[in-house]
Amino acid sequence: RCHFVSLCNELERPQLAALFCRADEVLFGDPAYEVHLDRAETLASGAPACTFRFRWGNVTPSSIQDEDSKEA
């Protein structure tokens, strides 16, 4: 559940929810920040879930998967 989606729906302005998602993309897309956000889908865009993952610095989703497969 997303509080922003719920709030925008309650205010009868569901189209505004995507603006909150966009703000996340702007903030976490800034190279000055070491925390990055990877998200393929959002509730605001009609997806069944927000598929977000945070990563720190130069860690990429593929390098995490590579490490997980080594441990298996």
Side-chain angles (χ1 to χ4, degrees):
R1 178 178 119 114
C2 174
H3 294 289
F4 294 117
V5 170
S6 298
L7 174 64
C8 292
N9 286 337
E10 185 178 320
L11 296 173
E12 299 180 4
R13 300 291 189 269
Q15 70 279 10
L16 296 179
L19 295 176
F20 292 100
C21 301
R22 180 67 185 124
D24 288 343
E25 292 169 11
V26 170
L27 175 65
F28 292 106
D30 185 335
Y33 291 100
E34 291 191 58
V35 177
H36 303 280
L37 172 67
D38 296 308
R39 179 174 52 200
E41 300 177 318
T42 65
L43 291 166
S45 68
C50 284
T51 57
F52 64 90
R53 297 290 180 264
F54 290 98
R55 58 186 169 87
W56 182 262
N58 294 327
V59 176
T60 63
S62 61
S63 67
I64 293 170
Q65 290 173 351
D66 291 345
E67 288 298 317
D68 288 345
S69 64
K70 288 178 186 175
E71 293 175 9

